[in-house]
Amino acid sequence: MIKLSIVLAVRNEEENIARCLSAVADIADEIIIFDEYSVDKTRDIAKSFGAKVYLEPHHANFHITKQKAISKARGEWILQLDADEVVTPELAREIIDVTQMNYEQIISRRPKENKKLVLFQRHLKVVEEKDGSLGKKSGEIVAFFVPRRNMFLGKPLIHAGVYPDAVIRLIRRGKAYLPAKSVHEQMDIDGEVAWLFNDLLHFDSPTLARYFSRLNRYTDLRAQELKNSNVSKGLQGFIKEVVIMPILVFVKLYLRHKGFLDGPRGFMWSALSASHFPISYFKYITK
């Protein structure tokens, strides 16, 4: 019986994939890789870890490929990762523990007083206000949020609203899927959602060059969303996307969420995050 499947969707990740897979090799019953025709050594490295590698055409919305990888897994539980993520030893042990627990045991492990749990609950409230209720009462835990610690320019960001950057990563097979409509969407969950408490490290922006590469991709996707929503290209849309939203986001991240406590990196993160709105808008109106 396959208990835990590790699944990844990748494209040209030779710099990251060995670090990612080496952290989970000891807990995986199978490793599934969907590769969008990488032109580097990504597939060779993945196969060296015993991964089953499948080729998939490139999709602008990477969630399409992620969902195909999830659908291919045979494990009772599926851990979906990105190549630039690393499971800490503490998180690996916690994953093994919870996949062996029943509903009552999972519920009882929730601490009554825990700073991270308070942050989780606050995060869930924001998610559900934006995307609607997540999951449903069923008497079965089928998905887990994981706290993600984002590494920005070589160090973790603790403030600026990015920790814990909770993401659903551990799911029960057949009980959760990505609609693949938006890069920022939540999973559709057929059951209840719980939390893990140990960190998943995310090396998404080790350099500014890497950050700007991701920014370009995400703003392309958001520009398409603006188009699909038929956002005004007149003065009203300009003021909202180029003036109001960047200011609100910067103030929220840098002041309200205390990004200033992360020093220059906190300022850069807050400012660059705010820049997504005008960049997306200018891409949209110039297409």
Side-chain angles (χ1 to χ4, degrees):
M1 178 180 179
I2 296 178
K3 185 71 174 180
L4 179 65
S5 298
I6 309 294
V7 305
L8 288 86
V10 299
R11 187 185 187 207
N12 297 328
E13 291 285 0
E14 67 177 7
E15 295 183 1
N16 293 313
I17 194 166
R19 179 180 58 193
C20 175
L21 295 182
S22 63
V24 294
D26 290 341
I27 65 172
D29 293 305
E30 71 170 359
I31 300 174
I32 301 292
I33 305 289
F34 267 60
D35 176 64
E36 292 189 342
Y37 285 86
S38 294
V39 296
D40 60 9
K41 297 179 180 178
T42 296
R43 290 193 296 276
D44 292 336
I45 297 171
K47 290 176 181 177
S48 74
F49 284 89
K52 299 175 183 176
V53 179
Y54 302 88
L55 291 175
E56 176 70 17
H58 174 61
H59 301 280
N61 185 344
F62 212 37
H63 283 195
I64 296 173
T65 307
K66 288 183 178 182
Q67 180 54 44
K68 289 191 176 186
I70 290 170
S71 298
K72 198 71 173 179
R74 297 178 297 155
E76 178 184 353
W77 287 92
I78 300 168
L79 178 63
Q80 185 269 311
L81 297 172
D82 292 341
D84 58 4
E85 294 174 338
V86 177
V87 172
T88 60
E90 296 79 10
L91 177 58
R93 288 193 291 270
E94 187 177 15
I95 288 170
I96 293 302
D97 288 344
V98 299
T99 56
Q100 297 174 348
M101 292 180 180
N102 59 34
Y103 179 84
E104 289 75 20
Q105 290 171 324
I106 293 174
I107 296 300
S108 67
R109 68 190 290 272
R110 297 175 180 173
K112 293 182 179 179
E113 298 293 335
N114 184 288
K115 181 179 180 181
K116 192 177 291 186
L117 183 61
V118 172
L119 292 173
F120 286 162
Q121 291 169 337
R122 188 181 303 164
H123 173 84
L124 182 58
K125 182 179 179 181
V126 171
V127 168
E128 293 193 327
E129 286 176 353
K130 177 177 177 290
D131 300 322
S133 180
L134 190 64
K136 64 180 182 182
K137 286 289 184 181
S138 65
E140 181 184 27
I141 302 295
V142 301
F144 289 88
F145 273 108
V146 180
R148 193 164 61 166
R149 188 178 293 270
N150 292 297
M151 311 296 287
F152 181 58
L153 304 183
K155 295 181 180 179
L157 277 177
I158 307 301
H159 304 94
V162 297
Y163 184 79
D165 178 19
V167 287
I168 293 176
R169 284 289 187 264
L170 182 64
I171 58 176
R172 188 180 289 274
R173 182 165 59 90
K175 295 292 186 177
Y177 74 96
L178 289 163
K181 296 178 181 179
S182 167
V183 71
H184 299 297
E185 69 193 3
Q186 293 294 329
M187 279 189 167
D188 284 347
I189 308 296
D190 183 19
E192 297 183 33
V193 183
W195 302 87
L196 300 182
F197 294 95
N198 290 288
D199 288 343
L200 175 68
L201 303 182
H202 187 207
F203 295 86
D204 67 322
S205 301
T207 65
L208 281 177
R210 174 79 171 181
Y211 180 90
F212 286 126
S213 174
R214 294 169 64 86
L215 179 147
N216 186 53
R217 185 168 75 251
Y218 288 144
T219 52
D220 279 349
L221 290 168
R222 187 167 188 277
Q224 184 60 47
E225 292 173 1
L226 293 175
K227 180 179 179 180
N228 294 342
S229 301
N230 198 28
V231 170
S232 169
K233 292 186 178 182
L235 183 61
Q236 180 181 0
F238 179 89
I239 291 175
K240 178 184 177 182
E241 298 293 331
V242 179
V243 180
I244 296 176
M245 291 304 300
I247 292 174
L248 290 178
V249 169
F250 180 81
V251 169
K252 176 183 177 181
L253 299 182
Y254 193 66
L255 298 178
R256 181 183 173 189
H257 291 301
K258 302 180 180 179
F260 59 86
L261 293 178
D262 283 316
R265 290 180 309 107
F267 177 84
M268 292 175 65
W269 178 269
S270 302
L272 289 170
S273 297
S275 75
H276 283 226
F277 291 89
I279 292 173
S280 299
Y281 184 74
F282 287 131
K283 286 184 175 183
Y284 161 56
I285 64 175
T286 55
K287 280 188 175 180

